Amino acid sequence: MSDILKSARDRLNENLMEIKQAYVNFVSQNPEMVDQIEKTVKTSSYLFEALSKNYDNSIFISELITSACNLFAYANTKILLKTRNLISQTDENKFVAKLKQALTVVEFSQAFLELSAGRLGGSGARWAVIVVITIIKTILRCLLLYMFDSGLQSPALVTMINKTNIATQATNSDENENIYIGRRTGHQMATLSSSYSKWENPKPENMNCWNLYPSTLNKREKIGECLHIIRPMLHLLSTGVFGTKSLLPWLAALVVDTSSHALIQRDHKSERPYNPQEKQELRRRYANLIVYLLRSPVYEKTTGPRIHKILHYLSEHLPLAHYVVQPLSKYLPAWQRVYFYTWSD
């Protein structure tokens, strides 16, 4: 009996390995098709959310599909980088890679886990999941910052690599062998073995994020980045002390966020400029300051009523506008609860 079970297990393992290898071959040979499939699935989830009448259920299902799709997209990206021999260009050790993978999985699953906990266990379970996830993210990011000099850290969805760019990078791999990429600045220059007359300096926007080393942060900049990392945890702690309806946690998070921006800011003429990916992250953080207007409790007390007044005015005075405005006004409170919380990145 044991021999039969062992034989069946071996056959199952062989079949699973064949399926895995077939999937790896498909992804590595068809990056553009894989990218289009992922975009189609995401778009379908957004359309389902927009057309559904049950707003809470539609957001839950849409977030489930989006989280799964993001995780598959991340796995597909890793497959492409590995099969195209591009992942080694980062010189990351295995432990750092595992930390970043864990952080990515947590980030992609966060909203869905919160929604699931709220539906199954109520508000208490939802807040418990929020606290646990925030603690995990804070610990992982502090480890990456202080033990491995990770520089400015971006959310996983922001740093997701376009698969078409990976294919292009692999196609031009022979040319890239004669290009040196600075470890800290990300600047590219021709090596002595390359043909200087044929080489052109690539534009920063065309540089691939997996080729860029993080900038070295000084003591002041590390404090600023640390403030950005611990801001969600500080907000949750102050919310536990003062309550969800108090303005003090919101103000504390805003002060910490603006202080972080001030500390990590570098002069445009600095000899140590941030690399293009880090500059993009700084722009994203500045833009996110506007999102504070959509976060509780300011949204309920100030921003929300004004937005609904504007939407009501547009619905009454613009022809056919109510077909768009009315569903939008019903979705806004649900979106605000799920996506615009102060402990997010």
Side-chain angles (χ1 to χ4, degrees), residues 146 218-228 263-264:
Y146 283 102
N218 58 31
K219 186 176 180 180
R220 173 180 61 84
E221 293 164 347
K222 277 192 175 181
I223 293 174
E225 182 64 10
C226 183
L227 286 176
H228 176 75
L263 290 171
I264 63 179

Side-chain angles (χ1 to χ4, degrees), residues 259-276:
S259 300
S260 171
H261 288 310
L263 290 171
I264 63 179
Q265 185 63 42
R266 288 180 180 176
D267 186 14
H268 293 293
K269 298 180 181 179
S270 173
E271 295 180 357
R272 303 181 302 110
Y274 289 118
N275 66 45

Side-chain angles (χ1 to χ4, degrees), residues 29-301:
Q29 295 170 9
N30 304 279
E32 293 86 358
M33 183 184 298
V34 172
D35 194 44
Q36 289 300 320
I37 293 174
E38 293 168 2
K39 291 178 180 177
T40 302
V41 174
K42 283 186 179 181
T43 303
S44 302
S45 70
Y46 298 147
L47 290 175
F48 172 78
E49 182 176 340
L51 298 176
S52 177
K53 298 296 183 181
N54 191 326
Y55 303 109
D56 290 332
N57 285 339
S58 64
I59 291 177
F60 177 79
I61 295 173
S62 175
E63 194 58 43
L64 168 62
I65 297 173
T66 302
S67 298
C69 190
N70 285 335
L71 290 172
F72 272 110
Y74 177 70
N76 293 336
T77 301
K78 285 295 184 181
I79 290 172
L80 278 174
L81 290 174
K82 186 175 181 180
T83 55
R84 307 273 174 138
N85 296 322
L86 296 173
I87 199 168
S88 60
Q89 295 181 16
T90 57
D91 292 332
E92 293 177 343
N93 61 49
K94 293 183 178 180
F95 184 67
V96 175
K98 293 296 183 183
L99 285 179
K100 290 186 176 181
Q101 287 177 11
L103 185 59
T104 299
V105 171
V106 171
E107 288 180 357
F108 283 158
S109 309
Q110 178 174 354
F112 173 70
L113 291 176
E114 291 176 16
L115 288 172
S116 300
R119 292 170 70 93
L120 296 175
S123 178
R126 176 174 176 267
W127 280 105
V129 169
I130 289 171
V131 170
V132 170
I133 289 176
T134 304
I135 291 174
I136 292 173
K137 290 169 62 177
T138 303
I139 292 174
L140 291 177
R141 287 179 173 166
C142 285
L143 285 174
L144 289 170
L145 176 64
Y146 283 102
M147 293 185 64
F148 303 101
D149 292 325
S150 61
L152 301 185
Q153 300 179 39
S154 303
L157 193 60
V158 175
T159 57
M160 186 69 75
I161 305 167
N162 187 289
K163 295 174 183 59
T164 305
N165 291 343
I166 297 177
T168 304
Q169 174 77 357
T171 303
N172 298 328
S173 58
D174 292 338
E175 298 178 6
N176 292 336
E177 290 177 357
N178 293 323
I179 300 175
Y180 170 76
I181 303 173
R183 285 183 59 87
R184 299 303 177 190
T185 63
H187 291 313
Q188 299 187 13
M189 62 186 73
T191 62
L192 294 176
S193 62
S194 64
S195 175
Y196 180 81
S197 60
K198 295 182 180 180
W199 186 84
E200 295 181 359
N201 188 24
K203 296 181 180 179
E205 57 269 22
N206 293 329
M207 297 167 66
N208 301 301
C209 64
W210 65 86
N211 281 334
L212 302 181
Y213 291 92
S215 300
T216 302
L217 303 182
N218 58 31
K219 186 176 180 180
R220 173 180 61 84
E221 293 164 347
K222 277 192 175 181
I223 293 174
E225 182 64 10
C226 183
L227 286 176
H228 176 75
I229 292 172
I230 66 175
R231 173 188 56 79
M233 198 68 238
L234 292 176
H235 175 265
L236 288 177
L237 289 174
S238 58
T239 299
V241 174
F242 299 104
T244 57
K245 295 183 179 180
S246 174
L247 192 62
L248 290 177
W250 183 91
L251 285 173
L254 181 60
V255 169
V256 171
D257 225 349
T258 52
S259 300
S260 171
H261 288 310
L263 290 171
I264 63 179
Q265 185 63 42
R266 288 180 180 176
D267 186 14
H268 293 293
K269 298 180 181 179
S270 173
E271 295 180 357
R272 303 181 302 110
Y274 289 118
N275 66 45
Q277 179 187 337
E278 293 168 337
K279 290 178 181 178
Q280 180 185 359
E281 170 61 14
L282 286 176
R283 289 193 293 268
R284 187 194 68 83
R285 293 184 187 181
Y286 279 120
N288 271 0
L289 291 176
I290 302 175
V291 179
Y292 274 88
L293 296 174
L294 298 175
R295 289 171 170 169
S296 300
V298 170
Y299 175 83
E300 288 83 359
K301 296 179 179 179

